[in-house]
Amino acid sequence: MAKAPRLKITVINLLCLAVLCGATESPQYEVVHAESDFEIRHYRDATWMSATVNDLSFQKATLFGFHRLFQFIQGANMNYSRVAMTSPVVTSLVPGAGPLHSSAYVVQFYLPAKFQDSPPTPLLELNLKPYAWDSHHVAVRKFSGFATDDIVVKEAAKLATSLSLSPWANATSATHYTYSIAQYDPPFRFFGRTNEVWVDVDASRFAGKTSF
């Protein structure tokens, strides 16, 4: 019974952010390879703030995790700093990290350039951690609509199939995350939504080639 009010509060927070944020900063990358249904990006080093959530539902994990991150960017940190909203909000599936080896999720917020080198320290009760994201390559598949529990699984499977039929078939990296979902839009935008599935890939075997 306690979860319903928390969900409502989080949705309201998201709506407020969407109205106030306007244009937002995003992590910098370059596209190094493109296919008809996916592309490979090279992301630069970056610092994110992360919230781990032990929940079987992608949607609930994203809402609960972002609620904590929202408090952080609204000033719930040791510096009382307000942090500008950025995009996308990224939710990563971590296999075996939850209770009894169930899956958990990590919801991640990209820190603006102002705080990249020195992130504000979150209040302890938020249970947030800064995450240093080293430069790496990511396979990306775009999809529209709302990122629901069923849809994200299907879209991740489609990306896996596309990769298996491409030169990147054996290039997926061994990382903590199975895949990540990047969401760029506020919840009240019903049309023209942009979401992405991300999977880390190892581009070392393509090093030195002018074209992947």
Side-chain angles (χ1 to χ4, degrees):
M1 296 297 292
K3 286 189 175 181
R6 290 179 62 191
L7 282 170
K8 291 178 181 178
I9 290 171
T10 308
V11 171
I12 291 172
N13 288 344
L14 285 166
L15 290 170
C16 291
L17 274 176
V19 171
L20 295 174
C21 68
T24 61
E25 292 183 46
S26 298
Q28 297 183 347
Y29 68 87
E30 62 177 328
V31 177
V32 297
H33 178 85
E35 297 282 348
S36 61
D37 55 351
F38 75 91
E39 64 186 25
I40 305 296
R41 298 175 183 169
H42 177 243
Y43 278 91
R44 302 180 184 179
D45 294 346
T47 304
W48 299 62
M49 192 60 67
S50 65
T52 299
V53 183
N54 293 322
D55 201 297
L56 296 177
S57 167
F58 160 83
Q59 291 173 268
K60 290 181 179 179
T62 300
L63 288 172
F64 295 151
F66 188 77
H67 178 61
R68 287 151 53 193
L69 291 166
F70 176 82
Q71 294 177 71
F72 164 75
I73 68 178
Q74 289 296 294
N77 54 71
M78 300 301 289
N79 308 75
Y80 303 104
S81 298
R82 297 289 289 267
V83 181
M85 184 59 190
T86 63
S87 66
V89 173
V90 176
T91 304
S92 301
L93 173 64
V94 187
L100 301 177
H101 302 291
S102 62
S103 295
Y105 291 91
V106 177
V107 185
Q108 300 168 86
F109 170 84
Y110 173 72
L111 289 168
K114 177 181 178 180
F115 296 108
Q116 278 291 307
D117 294 331
S118 55
T121 302
L123 297 183
L124 289 176
E125 58 265 30
L126 295 180
N127 193 24
L128 303 176
K129 294 181 179 179
Y131 177 69
W133 196 5
D134 295 332
S135 173
H136 65 293
H137 290 80
V138 178
V140 179
R141 173 186 170 84
K142 294 180 181 290
F143 65 98
S144 59
F146 285 92
T148 63
D149 289 345
D150 292 339
I151 287 176
V152 299
V153 173
K154 292 177 181 177
E155 293 296 331
K158 289 178 181 178
L159 177 57
T161 299
S162 296
L163 289 172
S164 70
L165 300 174
S166 77
W168 298 84
N170 299 310
T172 54
S173 300
T175 65
H176 297 299
Y177 307 136
T178 302
Y179 60 81
S180 301
I181 303 297
Q183 299 185 76
Y184 289 83
D185 300 300
F188 64 76
R189 178 171 294 170
F190 295 101
F191 303 101
R193 298 183 62 83
T194 300
N195 312 291
E196 296 171 343
V197 184
W198 292 359
V199 174
D200 289 351
V201 294
D202 180 7
S204 61
R205 66 192 181 101
F206 296 98
K209 296 186 178 181
T210 57
S211 176
F212 290 178

